[in-house]
Coordinates of all heavy atoms in Angstrom, one line a residue:
M1 N -13.5 1.8 -15.9 CA -14.4 1.5 -14.8 C -14.2 0.0 -14.4 O -14.4 -0.3 -13.2 CB -15.9 1.7 -15.2 CG -16.2 3.2 -15.4 SD -15.8 4.2 -14.0 CE -16.9 3.7 -12.7
E2 N -13.9 -0.9 -15.3 CA -13.6 -2.3 -14.9 C -12.4 -2.4 -14.0 O -12.5 -3.1 -13.0 CB -13.4 -3.1 -16.2 CG -14.6 -3.4 -17.0 CD -14.3 -4.2 -18.3 OE1 -13.3 -4.9 -18.2 OE2 -15.0 -4.0 -19.3
T3 N -11.4 -1.6 -14.3 CA -10.2 -1.6 -13.5 C -10.5 -1.1 -12.1 O -10.1 -1.7 -11.1 CB -9.0 -0.8 -14.1 OG1 -8.8 -1.3 -15.4 CG2 -7.8 -0.8 -13.3
L4 N -11.3 -0.1 -12.0 CA -11.7 0.5 -10.8 C -12.5 -0.5 -9.9 O -12.3 -0.6 -8.7 CB -12.4 1.8 -11.0 CG -12.7 2.7 -9.8 CD1 -11.4 3.1 -9.2 CD2 -13.5 3.9 -10.2
G5 N -13.4 -1.2 -10.6 CA -14.2 -2.2 -10.0 C -13.5 -3.3 -9.4 O -13.9 -4.0 -8.4
E6 N -12.3 -3.6 -10.0 CA -11.5 -4.8 -9.5 C -10.6 -4.5 -8.3 O -10.0 -5.3 -7.7 CB -10.6 -5.3 -10.7 CG -11.4 -5.9 -11.8 CD -10.6 -6.2 -13.0 OE1 -9.4 -6.0 -13.0 OE2 -11.2 -6.6 -14.0
T7 N -10.4 -3.2 -8.0 CA -9.5 -2.8 -6.9 C -10.2 -2.8 -5.6 O -11.5 -2.8 -5.5 CB -9.0 -1.4 -7.2 OG1 -10.0 -0.5 -7.2 CG2 -8.2 -1.3 -8.5
K8 N -9.4 -2.8 -4.5 CA -9.9 -2.7 -3.2 C -9.7 -1.3 -2.7 O -8.7 -1.0 -1.9 CB -9.3 -3.7 -2.3 CG -9.5 -5.1 -2.6 CD -8.8 -6.1 -1.7 CE -9.0 -7.5 -2.1 NZ -8.3 -8.4 -1.3
T9 N -10.5 -0.4 -3.2 CA -10.2 1.1 -2.9 C -10.6 1.4 -1.4 O -11.6 0.9 -0.9 CB -11.0 2.0 -3.8 OG1 -12.4 1.6 -3.8 CG2 -10.5 1.8 -5.2
R10 N -9.8 2.2 -0.8 CA -10.1 2.7 0.5 C -10.6 4.2 0.4 O -11.3 4.6 1.3 CB -8.8 2.7 1.4 CG -8.4 1.2 1.6 CD -7.2 1.2 2.6 NE -6.9 -0.2 2.9 CZ -6.0 -0.9 2.2 NH1 -5.4 -0.4 1.2 NH2 -5.8 -2.2 2.6
Y11 N -10.2 4.8 -0.6 CA -10.7 6.2 -0.8 C -10.4 6.5 -2.3 O -9.6 5.9 -3.0 CB -10.0 7.2 0.1 CG -8.5 7.2 -0.1 CD1 -7.8 8.0 -1.0 CD2 -7.7 6.4 0.8 CE1 -6.4 7.9 -1.1 CE2 -6.3 6.3 0.6 CZ -5.7 7.1 -0.3 OH -4.3 7.1 -0.4
I12 N -11.0 7.5 -2.8 CA -10.9 8.0 -4.2 C -10.5 9.5 -4.2 O -11.2 10.2 -3.5 CB -12.1 7.7 -5.0 CG1 -12.4 6.2 -5.1 CG2 -12.0 8.3 -6.4 CD1 -13.7 5.9 -5.8
R13 N -9.5 9.8 -4.8 CA -9.1 11.2 -5.0 C -9.7 11.7 -6.3 O -9.5 11.1 -7.3 CB -7.6 11.4 -5.0 CG -7.0 11.1 -3.7 CD -5.6 11.6 -3.7 NE -4.8 11.1 -2.6 CZ -4.8 11.5 -1.4 NH1 -5.5 12.5 -1.0 NH2 -4.0 11.0 -0.4
C14 N -10.4 12.8 -6.2 CA -11.0 13.4 -7.4 C -10.1 14.5 -7.9 O -9.8 15.5 -7.2 CB -12.4 14.0 -7.1 SG -13.6 12.7 -6.7
I15 N -9.7 14.4 -9.1 CA -8.8 15.4 -9.8 C -9.6 16.1 -10.9 O -10.1 15.4 -11.8 CB -7.5 14.8 -10.3 CG1 -6.8 14.0 -9.2 CG2 -6.6 15.8 -11.0 CD1 -6.2 14.8 -8.1
K16 N -9.7 17.4 -10.9 CA -10.5 18.1 -11.9 C -9.5 18.3 -13.1 O -8.4 18.9 -12.9 CB -11.0 19.4 -11.4 CG -11.9 19.2 -10.2 CD -12.4 20.6 -9.7 CE -13.3 20.4 -8.5 NZ -13.6 21.6 -7.8
P17 N -9.9 17.9 -14.3 CA -9.1 18.1 -15.5 C -8.9 19.6 -15.9 O -7.9 19.9 -16.6 CB -9.7 17.3 -16.5 CG -11.2 17.2 -16.1 CD -11.2 17.3 -14.6
N18 N -9.8 20.4 -15.5 CA -9.7 21.8 -15.9 C -10.6 22.7 -14.9 O -11.5 22.1 -14.3 CB -10.1 22.1 -17.3 CG -11.5 21.7 -17.6 OD1 -12.4 22.4 -17.1 ND2 -11.7 20.7 -18.4
A19 N -10.3 23.9 -14.8 CA -11.1 24.8 -13.9 C -12.4 25.3 -14.5 O -13.3 25.8 -13.8 CB -10.2 26.1 -13.6
H20 N -12.6 25.1 -15.8 CA -13.8 25.5 -16.5 C -14.9 24.5 -16.6 O -16.0 24.8 -17.0 CB -13.4 25.9 -18.0 CG -12.3 26.9 -18.0 ND1 -12.3 28.1 -17.5 CD2 -11.0 26.7 -18.5 CE1 -11.1 28.7 -17.7 NE2 -10.3 27.8 -18.3
K21 N -14.6 23.3 -16.1 CA -15.5 22.2 -16.1 C -16.0 21.9 -17.5 O -17.2 21.7 -17.8 CB -16.7 22.4 -15.2 CG -16.3 22.6 -13.7 CD -17.4 22.8 -12.8 CE -16.9 22.9 -11.4 NZ -18.0 23.2 -10.4
Q22 N -15.1 22.0 -18.5 CA -15.5 21.7 -19.9 C -15.0 20.3 -20.3 O -13.9 19.9 -19.9 CB -14.8 22.8 -20.8 CG -15.2 24.2 -20.6 CD -16.7 24.4 -21.0 OE1 -17.1 23.9 -22.0 NE2 -17.4 25.2 -20.2
A23 N -15.8 19.7 -21.1 CA -15.4 18.3 -21.6 C -14.2 18.5 -22.6 O -14.1 19.5 -23.3 CB -16.6 17.7 -22.3
H24 N -13.4 17.5 -22.6 CA -12.3 17.4 -23.6 C -11.3 18.5 -23.4 O -10.6 18.9 -24.4 CB -12.8 17.3 -25.0 CG -13.8 16.3 -25.2 ND1 -13.6 14.9 -25.1 CD2 -15.2 16.4 -25.5 CE1 -14.7 14.2 -25.3 NE2 -15.7 15.1 -25.5
D25 N -11.2 19.1 -22.2 CA -10.2 20.2 -22.0 C -9.4 19.8 -20.8 O -9.9 19.6 -19.7 CB -11.0 21.5 -21.7 CG -10.0 22.7 -21.4 OD1 -8.8 22.5 -21.8 OD2 -10.4 23.7 -20.9
F26 N -8.1 19.6 -21.0 CA -7.2 19.0 -20.0 C -6.1 20.1 -19.7 O -5.3 20.4 -20.6 CB -6.6 17.7 -20.5 CG -5.7 17.0 -19.4 CD1 -6.3 16.3 -18.4 CD2 -4.3 17.1 -19.5 CE1 -5.5 15.7 -17.5 CE2 -3.5 16.5 -18.6 CZ -4.1 15.8 -17.5
D27 N -6.0 20.6 -18.5 CA -5.0 21.5 -18.1 C -4.0 20.8 -17.3 O -4.1 20.6 -16.1 CB -5.7 22.6 -17.3 CG -4.7 23.7 -16.9 OD1 -3.5 23.6 -17.1 OD2 -5.1 24.7 -16.3
S28 N -2.9 20.4 -17.9 CA -1.9 19.5 -17.3 C -1.2 20.2 -16.1 O -0.9 19.6 -15.1 CB -0.8 19.1 -18.3 OG -0.1 20.2 -18.8
L29 N -1.0 21.5 -16.1 CA -0.4 22.2 -15.0 C -1.3 22.2 -13.8 O -0.9 22.1 -12.6 CB 0.0 23.7 -15.4 CG 1.1 23.8 -16.4 CD1 1.3 25.3 -16.8 CD2 2.4 23.2 -15.9
D30 N -2.6 22.4 -14.0 CA -3.6 22.4 -12.9 C -3.7 21.0 -12.3 O -3.7 20.8 -11.1 CB -4.9 22.9 -13.4 CG -5.9 23.2 -12.2 OD1 -5.4 23.7 -11.2 OD2 -7.1 22.9 -12.4
V31 N -3.7 20.0 -13.2 CA -3.7 18.6 -12.7 C -2.5 18.3 -11.9 O -2.6 17.7 -10.8 CB -3.9 17.6 -13.9 CG1 -3.7 16.2 -13.4 CG2 -5.3 17.8 -14.5
Q32 N -1.3 18.7 -12.4 CA -0.1 18.4 -11.6 C -0.1 19.1 -10.3 O 0.3 18.6 -9.3 CB 1.1 18.9 -12.5 CG 2.4 18.6 -11.8 CD 3.6 19.0 -12.7 OE1 3.5 19.9 -13.5 NE2 4.7 18.3 -12.5
R33 N -0.6 20.4 -10.2 CA -0.7 21.1 -9.0 C -1.6 20.3 -8.0 O -1.3 20.2 -6.8 CB -1.3 22.5 -9.2 CG -1.4 23.3 -7.9 CD -2.2 24.6 -8.2 NE -3.6 24.4 -8.7 CZ -4.6 23.9 -8.0 NH1 -4.5 23.7 -6.7 NH2 -5.8 23.8 -8.5
Q34 N -2.8 19.8 -8.5 CA -3.7 19.1 -7.6 C -3.0 17.8 -7.1 O -3.2 17.5 -5.9 CB -4.9 18.7 -8.4 CG -5.8 19.9 -8.7 CD -7.0 19.5 -9.6 OE1 -7.9 18.8 -9.1 NE2 -7.0 19.9 -10.8
L35 N -2.3 17.1 -8.0 CA -1.6 15.9 -7.5 C -0.5 16.2 -6.5 O -0.4 15.4 -5.5 CB -1.0 15.2 -8.7 CG -2.0 14.6 -9.7 CD1 -1.3 14.1 -11.0 CD2 -2.8 13.4 -9.1
R36 N 0.2 17.3 -6.7 CA 1.2 17.6 -5.7 C 0.6 18.0 -4.4 O 1.1 17.6 -3.3 CB 2.1 18.8 -6.3 CG 3.3 19.1 -5.4 CD 4.1 20.2 -6.0 NE 4.8 19.7 -7.2 CZ 4.7 20.2 -8.4 NH1 3.8 21.2 -8.6 NH2 5.3 19.7 -9.4
C37 N -0.5 18.8 -4.4 CA -1.1 19.2 -3.2 C -1.7 18.1 -2.4 O -1.8 18.1 -1.2 CB -2.2 20.3 -3.5 SG -1.5 21.9 -4.0
A38 N -2.2 17.1 -3.2 CA -2.8 15.9 -2.5 C -1.8 14.9 -2.0 O -2.1 13.9 -1.4 CB -3.7 15.2 -3.5
G39 N -0.5 15.2 -2.3 CA 0.6 14.3 -1.9 C 0.8 13.0 -2.8 O 1.5 12.1 -2.4
M40 N 0.1 13.0 -3.9 CA 0.2 11.8 -4.8 C 1.5 11.7 -5.4 O 2.0 10.6 -5.6 CB -0.9 11.9 -5.8 CG -2.3 11.8 -5.3 SD -2.6 10.3 -4.4 CE -2.4 9.1 -5.6
L41 N 2.2 12.8 -5.8 CA 3.5 12.7 -6.5 C 4.5 12.1 -5.5 O 5.4 11.3 -5.9 CB 3.9 14.0 -7.1 CG 3.0 14.6 -8.2 CD1 3.5 15.9 -8.6 CD2 2.9 13.6 -9.3
E42 N 4.5 12.5 -4.3 CA 5.4 12.1 -3.3 C 5.1 10.6 -3.0 O 6.1 9.8 -2.8 CB 5.3 12.9 -2.0 CG 6.2 12.5 -0.9 CD 7.7 12.7 -1.2 OE1 8.0 13.4 -2.2 OE2 8.5 12.2 -0.4
S43 N 3.9 10.2 -2.9 CA 3.5 8.8 -2.7 C 4.0 7.9 -3.8 O 4.6 6.8 -3.6 CB 2.0 8.7 -2.6 OG 1.6 7.3 -2.5
I44 N 3.9 8.4 -5.1 CA 4.4 7.6 -6.2 C 5.9 7.5 -6.1 O 6.5 6.4 -6.4 CB 4.0 8.3 -7.5 CG1 2.4 8.1 -7.7 CG2 4.7 7.7 -8.7 CD1 1.9 9.0 -8.8
R45 N 6.6 8.6 -5.8 CA 8.1 8.6 -5.7 C 8.5 7.5 -4.6 O 9.4 6.8 -4.8 CB 8.6 10.0 -5.3 CG 10.1 10.0 -5.3 CD 10.6 11.3 -4.7 NE 10.3 11.5 -3.3 CZ 11.0 10.8 -2.3 NH1 12.0 10.0 -2.6 NH2 10.7 11.0 -1.0
I46 N 7.8 7.5 -3.5 CA 8.2 6.6 -2.4 C 7.9 5.1 -2.8 O 8.8 4.3 -2.6 CB 7.3 6.9 -1.1 CG1 7.8 8.2 -0.5 CG2 7.4 5.8 -0.1 CD1 6.9 8.8 0.5
R47 N 6.8 4.9 -3.5 CA 6.6 3.5 -4.0 C 7.6 3.1 -5.0 O 8.0 1.9 -5.1 CB 5.1 3.4 -4.5 CG 4.1 3.5 -3.4 CD 2.8 3.3 -3.8 NE 1.8 3.5 -2.7 CZ 0.6 3.3 -2.8 NH1 0.0 2.9 -4.0 NH2 -0.2 3.5 -1.8
R48 N 8.0 4.0 -5.9 CA 9.0 3.6 -6.9 C 10.3 3.3 -6.3 O 11.1 2.6 -6.8 CB 9.1 4.8 -7.9 CG 8.0 4.8 -9.0 CD 8.3 5.8 -10.0 NE 7.3 5.7 -11.1 CZ 7.2 6.6 -12.0 NH1 8.0 7.7 -12.0 NH2 6.3 6.5 -12.9
A49 N 10.6 3.9 -5.1 CA 11.8 3.7 -4.4 C 11.9 2.3 -3.8 O 12.9 1.9 -3.2 CB 12.1 4.8 -3.4
G50 N 10.8 1.6 -3.8 CA 10.7 0.3 -3.2 C 9.9 0.1 -2.0 O 9.9 -1.0 -1.4
Y51 N 9.4 1.2 -1.5 CA 8.5 1.0 -0.3 C 7.1 0.8 -0.7 O 6.4 1.7 -1.2 CB 8.7 2.3 0.6 CG 10.1 2.5 1.1 CD1 10.9 3.4 0.4 CD2 10.6 1.8 2.1 CE1 12.3 3.6 0.8 CE2 11.9 2.0 2.6 CZ 12.7 2.9 1.9 OH 14.0 3.0 2.3
S52 N 6.6 -0.4 -0.5 CA 5.3 -0.7 -0.9 C 4.2 -0.2 0.0 O 4.5 0.4 1.0 CB 5.2 -2.2 -1.0 OG 4.0 -2.7 -1.6
V53 N 3.0 -0.5 -0.4 CA 1.9 -0.1 0.4 C 1.8 -1.0 1.7 O 2.5 -2.0 1.8 CB 0.5 -0.3 -0.4 CG1 0.5 0.6 -1.5 CG2 0.4 -1.7 -0.9
R54 N 1.0 -0.6 2.6 CA 0.9 -1.4 3.9 C 0.2 -2.7 3.5 O -0.8 -2.7 2.8 CB 0.1 -0.6 4.9 CG 0.8 0.6 5.3 CD 0.0 1.4 6.4 NE 0.5 2.7 6.5 CZ -0.3 3.7 6.6 NH1 -1.6 3.6 6.7 NH2 0.2 4.9 6.7
R55 N 0.7 -3.8 4.2 CA 0.1 -5.1 4.0 C -0.7 -5.5 5.3 O -0.2 -5.2 6.3 CB 1.1 -6.1 3.7 CG 1.9 -5.9 2.4 CD 2.9 -7.1 2.2 NE 3.7 -6.9 1.1 CZ 3.3 -7.2 -0.1 NH1 2.1 -7.7 -0.3 NH2 4.1 -7.0 -1.1
P56 N -1.8 -6.2 5.1 CA -2.4 -6.7 6.3 C -1.5 -7.8 6.9 O -0.7 -8.4 6.3 CB -3.7 -7.4 5.7 CG -3.9 -6.8 4.4 CD -2.6 -6.4 3.9
F57 N -1.6 -7.9 8.3 CA -0.7 -8.8 9.0 C -0.7 -10.3 8.4 O 0.3 -10.9 8.2 CB -1.0 -8.9 10.5 CG -0.7 -7.6 11.2 CD1 -1.7 -6.8 11.8 CD2 0.6 -7.2 11.3 CE1 -1.4 -5.6 12.4 CE2 0.9 -6.0 11.9 CZ -0.1 -5.2 12.5
K58 N -1.9 -10.7 8.1 CA -2.0 -12.1 7.5 C -1.3 -12.2 6.2 O -0.6 -13.2 6.0 CB -3.5 -12.4 7.3 CG -3.7 -13.8 6.8 CD -5.2 -14.2 6.7 CE -5.4 -15.6 6.2 NZ -6.9 -15.9 6.1
E59 N -1.4 -11.3 5.3 CA -0.7 -11.3 4.1 C 0.8 -11.2 4.3 O 1.5 -11.9 3.6 CB -1.2 -10.1 3.2 CG -0.7 -10.1 1.8 CD -1.2 -8.9 1.0 OE1 -2.4 -8.5 1.2 OE2 -0.4 -8.3 0.2
F60 N 1.2 -10.3 5.2 CA 2.7 -10.2 5.5 C 3.2 -11.5 6.0 O 4.2 -12.0 5.5 CB 2.9 -9.1 6.5 CG 4.3 -8.9 6.9 CD1 5.1 -8.0 6.2 CD2 4.9 -9.6 7.9 CE1 6.4 -7.8 6.5 CE2 6.2 -9.4 8.2 CZ 7.0 -8.5 7.5
F61 N 2.5 -12.1 6.9 CA 3.0 -13.4 7.5 C 3.0 -14.5 6.5 O 4.0 -15.2 6.4 CB 2.1 -13.8 8.7 CG 2.5 -15.1 9.3 CD1 3.7 -15.2 10.0 CD2 1.8 -16.3 9.1 CE1 4.1 -16.4 10.6 CE2 2.2 -17.5 9.6 CZ 3.3 -17.6 10.4
N62 N 2.0 -14.6 5.7 CA 2.0 -15.7 4.6 C 3.1 -15.5 3.6 O 3.6 -16.4 3.0 CB 0.6 -15.7 3.9 CG -0.4 -16.3 4.9 OD1 -0.1 -17.1 5.7 ND2 -1.7 -15.9 4.7
R63 N 3.5 -14.2 3.3 CA 4.5 -14.0 2.3 C 5.9 -14.2 2.9 O 6.8 -14.7 2.2 CB 4.4 -12.5 1.8 CG 5.5 -12.2 0.8 CD 5.2 -10.9 0.2 NE 6.3 -10.6 -0.8 CZ 6.2 -9.9 -1.8 NH1 5.1 -9.3 -2.1 NH2 7.2 -9.7 -2.6
F64 N 6.1 -13.8 4.2 CA 7.5 -13.9 4.7 C 7.7 -15.0 5.7 O 8.8 -15.1 6.3 CB 7.8 -12.5 5.4 CG 7.9 -11.4 4.3 CD1 6.9 -10.5 4.3 CD2 9.0 -11.3 3.5 CE1 6.9 -9.5 3.3 CE2 9.0 -10.3 2.5 CZ 8.0 -9.4 2.4
R65 N 6.8 -15.9 5.9 CA 6.9 -17.0 6.9 C 8.0 -17.9 6.4 O 8.6 -18.6 7.3 CB 5.6 -17.7 7.1 CG 5.2 -18.5 5.8 CD 3.8 -19.1 5.9 NE 3.6 -20.0 7.0 CZ 2.5 -20.4 7.4 NH1 1.4 -20.1 6.7 NH2 2.4 -21.2 8.4
V66 N 8.4 -18.0 5.2 CA 9.5 -18.9 4.7 C 10.8 -18.5 5.3 O 11.7 -19.3 5.4 CB 9.6 -18.9 3.2 CG1 8.3 -19.4 2.5 CG2 9.9 -17.5 2.7
L67 N 10.9 -17.3 5.8 CA 12.2 -16.8 6.4 C 12.4 -17.4 7.8 O 13.5 -17.5 8.3 CB 12.2 -15.3 6.5 CG 12.2 -14.5 5.2 CD1 12.0 -13.0 5.5 CD2 13.4 -14.8 4.4
C68 N 11.2 -17.8 8.4 CA 11.3 -18.4 9.8 C 10.4 -19.7 9.8 O 9.3 -19.7 10.3 CB 10.8 -17.4 10.8 SG 11.6 -15.9 10.8
P69 N 11.0 -20.8 9.3 CA 10.1 -22.0 9.1 C 9.7 -22.6 10.5 O 8.7 -23.3 10.5 CB 11.1 -23.0 8.4 CG 12.4 -22.4 8.3 CD 12.3 -20.9 8.7
S70 N 10.3 -22.2 11.6 CA 9.9 -22.7 12.9 C 8.6 -22.0 13.3 O 7.9 -22.6 14.2 CB 11.0 -22.5 13.9 OG 11.2 -21.1 14.0
L71 N 8.2 -20.9 12.8 CA 7.0 -20.2 13.2 C 5.8 -20.8 12.4 O 5.8 -20.8 11.2 CB 7.1 -18.7 12.9 CG 7.9 -17.9 13.8 CD1 7.9 -16.4 13.4 CD2 7.4 -17.9 15.2
T72 N 4.8 -21.2 13.1 CA 3.6 -21.7 12.5 C 2.4 -21.1 13.2 O 2.4 -20.6 14.3 CB 3.5 -23.3 12.6 OG1 3.4 -23.6 14.0 CG2 4.8 -23.9 12.0
T73 N 1.2 -21.3 12.5 CA 0.0 -20.9 13.2 C -0.5 -22.0 14.1 O -1.5 -21.8 14.8 CB -1.1 -20.7 12.1 OG1 -1.3 -21.9 11.3 CG2 -0.7 -19.5 11.1
A74 N 0.2 -23.1 14.2 CA -0.1 -24.2 15.1 C -1.6 -24.7 15.0 O -2.2 -25.1 15.9 CB 0.1 -23.8 16.6
G75 N -2.1 -24.6 13.8 CA -3.4 -25.1 13.5 C -4.5 -24.3 14.1 O -5.7 -24.8 14.1
R76 N -4.2 -23.1 14.6 CA -5.3 -22.3 15.1 C -6.2 -21.8 14.0 O -5.8 -21.5 12.9 CB -4.7 -21.1 15.9 CG -4.0 -21.5 17.1 CD -3.5 -20.3 17.9 NE -2.4 -20.6 18.7 CZ -1.1 -20.2 18.5 NH1 -0.9 -19.4 17.5 NH2 -0.2 -20.6 19.3
V77 N -7.5 -21.7 14.3 CA -8.5 -21.2 13.4 C -8.3 -19.7 13.1 O -8.3 -19.2 12.0 CB -9.9 -21.5 13.8 CG1 -10.9 -20.9 12.9 CG2 -10.1 -22.9 14.0
D78 N -8.0 -19.0 14.2 CA -7.8 -17.5 14.0 C -6.6 -17.1 14.8 O -6.6 -16.5 15.9 CB -9.1 -16.8 14.6 CG -9.1 -15.3 14.3 OD1 -8.4 -14.9 13.3 OD2 -9.7 -14.6 15.0
P79 N -5.4 -17.3 14.2 CA -4.1 -17.0 14.9 C -3.9 -15.5 15.0 O -4.5 -14.7 14.2 CB -3.1 -17.6 14.0 CG -3.7 -17.7 12.6 CD -5.2 -17.9 12.9
D80 N -3.1 -15.1 15.9 CA -2.8 -13.7 16.1 C -1.7 -13.3 15.1 O -0.5 -13.4 15.4 CB -2.3 -13.4 17.5 CG -2.0 -12.0 17.8 OD1 -2.1 -11.1 16.9 OD2 -1.6 -11.7 19.0
Y81 N -2.1 -12.8 13.9 CA -1.1 -12.5 12.8 C -0.2 -11.4 13.2 O 1.0 -11.3 12.8 CB -1.8 -12.3 11.5 CG -2.3 -13.6 10.9 CD1 -3.7 -13.9 10.9 CD2 -1.5 -14.5 10.3 CE1 -4.2 -15.0 10.3 CE2 -1.9 -15.6 9.8 CZ -3.3 -15.9 9.8 OH -3.7 -17.1 9.2
K82 N -0.7 -10.4 14.0 CA 0.2 -9.3 14.4 C 1.3 -9.8 15.2 O 2.5 -9.4 15.0 CB -0.7 -8.3 15.2 CG 0.1 -7.1 15.6 CD -0.8 -6.1 16.3 CE 0.0 -4.8 16.6 NZ -0.9 -3.8 17.3
E83 N 1.1 -10.7 16.1 CA 2.1 -11.3 17.0 C 3.1 -12.2 16.1 O 4.3 -12.1 16.3 CB 1.5 -12.1 18.1 CG 2.5 -12.7 19.1 CD 3.4 -11.7 19.8 OE1 3.0 -10.5 19.9 OE2 4.5 -12.1 20.2
L84 N 2.5 -12.9 15.2 CA 3.4 -13.8 14.4 C 4.3 -12.9 13.5 O 5.5 -13.2 13.3 CB 2.5 -14.6 13.5 CG 1.8 -15.8 14.2 CD1 0.7 -16.4 13.3 CD2 2.8 -16.8 14.7
C85 N 3.8 -11.8 13.0 CA 4.6 -10.9 12.2 C 5.7 -10.3 13.1 O 6.9 -10.1 12.6 CB 3.8 -9.7 11.6 SG 2.6 -10.3 10.3
R86 N 5.4 -9.9 14.3 CA 6.4 -9.4 15.2 C 7.5 -10.4 15.4 O 8.7 -10.1 15.4 CB 5.8 -9.0 16.5 CG 6.7 -8.2 17.4 CD 6.1 -8.0 18.8 NE 5.9 -9.2 19.6 CZ 6.9 -9.9 20.2 NH1 8.2 -9.4 20.0 NH2 6.7 -11.0 20.8
K87 N 7.1 -11.7 15.6 CA 8.1 -12.7 15.8 C 9.0 -12.9 14.5 O 10.2 -13.2 14.7 CB 7.4 -14.0 16.2 CG 6.8 -14.0 17.6 CD 6.1 -15.3 17.9 CE 5.6 -15.2 19.3 NZ 4.9 -16.5 19.7
V88 N 8.4 -12.8 13.4 CA 9.2 -12.9 12.1 C 10.3 -11.8 12.1 O 11.4 -12.1 11.8 CB 8.3 -12.9 10.9 CG1 9.1 -12.7 9.6 CG2 7.4 -14.1 10.7
L89 N 9.8 -10.6 12.4 CA 10.8 -9.5 12.4 C 11.8 -9.6 13.4 O 13.0 -9.3 13.2 CB 10.0 -8.2 12.5 CG 9.1 -7.9 11.3 CD1 8.2 -6.6 11.7 CD2 9.8 -7.7 10.0
M90 N 11.4 -10.0 14.6 CA 12.4 -10.2 15.7 C 13.4 -11.3 15.4 O 14.6 -11.1 15.6 CB 11.7 -10.5 17.0 CG 10.8 -9.4 17.5 SD 11.6 -8.0 18.1 CE 12.3 -8.5 19.6
D91 N 13.0 -12.4 14.8 CA 13.8 -13.5 14.4 C 14.8 -13.1 13.3 O 16.0 -13.4 13.4 CB 13.0 -14.7 13.9 CG 13.8 -15.9 13.8 OD1 14.6 -16.3 14.7 OD2 13.7 -16.6 12.7
M92 N 14.3 -12.3 12.4 CA 15.2 -11.8 11.3 C 16.2 -10.8 11.8 O 17.4 -10.8 11.4 CB 14.4 -11.2 10.2 CG 13.6 -12.2 9.4 SD 14.6 -13.6 8.8 CE 15.8 -12.8 7.8
E93 N 15.8 -10.0 12.7 CA 16.7 -9.0 13.3 C 17.8 -9.7 14.1 O 19.0 -9.3 14.1 CB 15.9 -8.1 14.3 CG 16.7 -6.9 14.8 CD 15.9 -5.9 15.6 OE1 15.1 -5.2 14.9 OE2 16.0 -5.9 16.8
A94 N 17.5 -10.8 14.8 CA 18.4 -11.6 15.6 C 19.4 -12.3 14.6 O 20.6 -12.3 14.9 CB 17.7 -12.6 16.5
K95 N 18.9 -12.7 13.5 CA 19.8 -13.4 12.6 C 20.8 -12.4 11.9 O 21.9 -12.8 11.6 CB 19.0 -14.1 11.5 CG 18.3 -15.3 12.0 CD 17.4 -15.9 10.8 CE 16.7 -17.2 11.4 NZ 15.8 -17.7 10.3
L96 N 20.4 -11.2 11.7 CA 21.2 -10.2 11.0 C 22.2 -9.5 12.0 O 23.1 -8.8 11.5 CB 20.3 -9.2 10.3 CG 19.5 -9.8 9.2 CD1 18.5 -8.7 8.7 CD2 20.4 -10.3 8.1
A97 N 21.9 -9.6 13.3 CA 22.8 -8.9 14.3 C 24.1 -9.6 14.5 O 24.4 -10.6 14.1 CB 22.0 -8.8 15.6

């Protein structure tokens, strides 16, 4: 519960450990079926392949701004991070072309 409390959850998927609703009874095939139907196994496969979760624009910009040192927030209190992220990507695309 501590780990769950420390996360920023957007939703919680409930997985039933067994069809009988009995304590200490774990049906691994049923759990695997539920995970597959919920798309969780595919999501795990994609993340292991290197495709991370979506990042907020501010977090993305702060992480990748080192690639484009000329881009700054210009001291604005509330900069348009979406536009700044777009500029980072356009600048990197131009450098790689």
Side-chain angles (χ1 to χ4, degrees):
M1 290 307 292
E2 288 178 27
T3 303
L4 192 60
E6 293 172 3
T7 61
K8 295 179 182 176
T9 54
R10 292 185 176 90
Y11 57 88
I12 297 175
R13 295 194 192 276
C14 296
I15 305 296
K16 297 177 184 172
N18 63 66
H20 310 293
K21 298 182 183 178
Q22 298 292 321
H24 311 292
D25 183 16
F26 185 81
D27 182 354
S28 61
L29 293 176
D30 192 39
V31 169
Q32 186 178 27
R33 180 190 58 76
Q34 291 176 68
L35 290 171
R36 187 175 291 116
C37 289
M40 293 302 295
L41 297 178
E42 181 66 10
S43 177
I44 292 167
R45 186 189 67 75
I46 290 168
R47 288 185 186 184
R48 282 188 176 169
Y51 299 97
S52 186
V53 295
R54 295 181 198 142
R55 296 183 184 276
F57 290 117
K58 182 178 180 178
E59 184 180 323
F60 180 92
F61 178 73
N62 288 331
R63 181 171 178 152
F64 296 104
R65 70 190 299 171
V66 296
L67 299 172
C68 303
S70 61
L71 285 178
T72 66
T73 59
R76 293 185 203 111
V77 176
D78 190 22
D80 183 358
Y81 286 106
K82 183 176 181 178
E83 181 62 21
L84 288 169
C85 291
R86 189 187 68 74
K87 287 179 181 179
V88 167
L89 295 173
M90 297 292 284
D91 190 48
M92 289 308 301
E93 189 174 287
K95 288 178 183 177
L96 295 173

